[in-house]
Amino acid sequence: MRPDELMREAKEMGAPYDLVCLVAQTGKLPVPNFAAGGIATPADAALMMQLGAESVFVGSGIFKSEDPPARARAIVEATTHYNDPDILARVTEELGEAMPGLDIATLDRGALLQQRGM
Amino acid sequence: MGVKRSMKLIGVLALQGDFAAHQRALDRLGVASRQVRNLRDLEGISGLILPGGESTTLLKLLDSSGLKEAIVDFHRQGHPLFGTCAGLILLSRQVLNPEQPSLGLIDVTTMRNAYGRQKESFETTGEANFGEDPSLPMVFIRAPRIVRLGESVTPLASYQGECVMAGQDKVLVATFHPEMTDDTRVHRYFLDMTSNGSLSSS
């Protein structure tokens, strides 16, 4: 984009012009992108890295799985070797069950943060 | 010299840490680089950079990938190594705070987190003992300190009178992050080690 177009974009986004120029030039923000939320498998972590994240943050995905130590090790390996399908396949073996998904419709009313519109 | 440099391929250990910043520093010098994650990535490179990161995590990943022994072999074959921050911790003979295993390829004792926690990170200007201009910008991020320097280790830069960059044979280490500044002299110093290495080993 031309400088005047970048200036217009910066105005529309309400973002600093220098930062918009930098992102246009480098294709990314000048800070690491941490991916978090809902990551439950080594493949999830690898996908985040393939999409451009610099780091992956996993909490429940490990601690609510069947075998947390094994899954933690596997997710670390998958984050490092995110572009190596052989390693991804190997570390994914024998991990037990992943964190179960939760359907919002089945949650108790008491577990909901707000109940407007119900 | 310029032609030789542009043909050189430098490996950057990419298990974890700021390997991308080292690659950008090498880009600025017009030097090709390759991310090293497994044994076959070591083939055909002239030198290896061990970046900053979290040294305990790096150690675990070095073990699981088999790269720990392979890097020792790579060094034994006469190839230069360059460790910054956590990379220095990995290369040290001895590590304190806490004690942990290391590759032991340079005769120094290194203390982890020696300036304090993350918020004690800082940017400053130190003194280089190499080249013509002693003024060298330095970025210290939760940095270690070299608390003992072996007799055959050469101090190459200092900050407040303490050695923060050193070399021994084919191993170069720095407690700070030259890859986080625009100054390319430290990386050029390492590249010169790879040139000398290929001359003497061929």
Side-chain angles (χ1 to χ4, degrees):
Chain A
M1 273 196 245
R2 298 194 315 264
D4 58 314
E5 291 176 312
L6 289 174
M7 179 63 89
R8 200 186 63 221
E9 285 291 328
K11 266 187 185 163
E12 278 177 15
M13 289 189 282
Y17 175 64
D18 291 347
L19 185 61
V20 171
C21 289
L22 188 73
V23 172
Q25 195 187 339
T26 62
K28 64 183 288 298
L29 284 165
V31 291
N33 181 340
F34 282 71
I39 295 165
T41 66
D44 290 343
L47 179 63
M48 294 300 103
M49 296 296 285
Q50 286 171 8
L51 291 172
E54 271 97 5
S55 315
V56 178
F57 185 92
V58 188
S60 315
I62 289 169
F63 295 109
K64 292 187 175 177
S65 72
E66 189 182 338
D67 186 353
R71 188 161 293 264
R73 273 193 292 274
I75 288 177
V76 170
E77 292 276 344
T79 303
T80 293
H81 299 286
Y82 66 93
N83 263 337
D84 191 325
D86 292 336
I87 293 180
L88 292 179
R90 178 170 56 74
V91 303
T92 301
E93 287 171 4
E94 317 249 336
L95 292 182
E97 285 298 316
M99 167 179 70
L102 289 175
D103 183 350
I104 294 172
T106 66
L107 291 179
D108 291 339
R109 281 182 73 89
L112 298 176
L113 288 177
Q114 59 96 348
Q115 297 163 16
R116 283 174 295 176
M118 288 188 72
Chain B
M1 194 92 175
V3 177
K4 261 194 168 176
R5 276 193 181 162
S6 61
M7 288 165 59
K8 196 174 291 175
L9 182 63
I10 300 295
V12 183
L13 187 69
L15 297 174
Q16 189 265 343
D18 81 328
F19 51 87
H22 274 287
Q23 286 192 291
R24 284 195 292 274
L26 293 168
D27 278 349
R28 287 198 288 274
L29 287 166
V31 174
S33 63
R34 175 200 289 163
Q35 297 185 0
V36 172
R37 289 193 171 81
N38 54 45
L39 301 179
R40 65 178 180 274
D41 295 334
L42 286 172
E43 284 169 26
I45 58 173
S46 318
L48 179 68
I49 296 178
L50 291 80
E54 205 289 305
S55 62
T56 313
T57 309
L58 281 164
L59 266 181
K60 287 182 179 176
L61 290 165
L62 279 176
D63 270 331
S64 66
S65 61
L67 275 168
K68 197 173 173 184
E69 293 77 18
I71 289 172
V72 174
D73 281 346
F74 182 76
H75 169 257
R76 202 176 287 139
Q77 288 158 18
H79 298 298
L81 305 173
F82 175 26
T84 58
C85 198
L88 149 68
I89 294 169
L90 295 175
L91 291 171
S92 299
R93 173 75 36 89
Q94 189 187 17
V95 178
L96 306 174
N97 189 33
E99 287 189 35
Q100 68 180 26
S102 53
L103 302 182
L105 297 177
I106 183 164
D107 187 17
V108 298
T109 300
T110 301
M111 182 178 286
R112 298 178 58 187
N113 299 315
Y115 293 92
R117 305 179 67 169
Q118 195 71 274
K119 73 182 182 67
E120 260 65 59
S121 300
F122 60 101
E123 295 183 36
T124 186
T125 303
E127 284 175 44
N129 304 346
F130 62 95
E132 287 167 9
D133 177 11
S135 167
L136 188 65
M138 297 175 178
V139 178
F140 292 87
I141 304 174
R142 199 153 68 89
R145 266 176 156 136
I146 299 172
V147 294
R148 183 193 62 85
L149 214 58
E151 278 178 16
S152 48
V153 180
T154 311
L156 292 167
S158 61
Y159 167 65
Q160 292 189 336
E162 272 182 44
C163 174
V164 292
M165 174 177 166
Q168 179 183 21
D169 300 326
K170 290 290 170 193
V171 181
L172 180 68
V173 293
T175 63
F176 59 97
H177 289 270
E179 74 282 7
M180 300 301 290
T181 68
D182 291 329
D183 194 302
T184 53
R185 282 177 290 160
V186 176
H187 283 82
R188 268 186 285 162
Y189 189 94
F190 176 61
L191 292 171
D192 287 343
M193 287 169 62
T194 68
S195 311
N196 299 337
S198 54
L199 282 179
S200 58
S201 63
S202 59

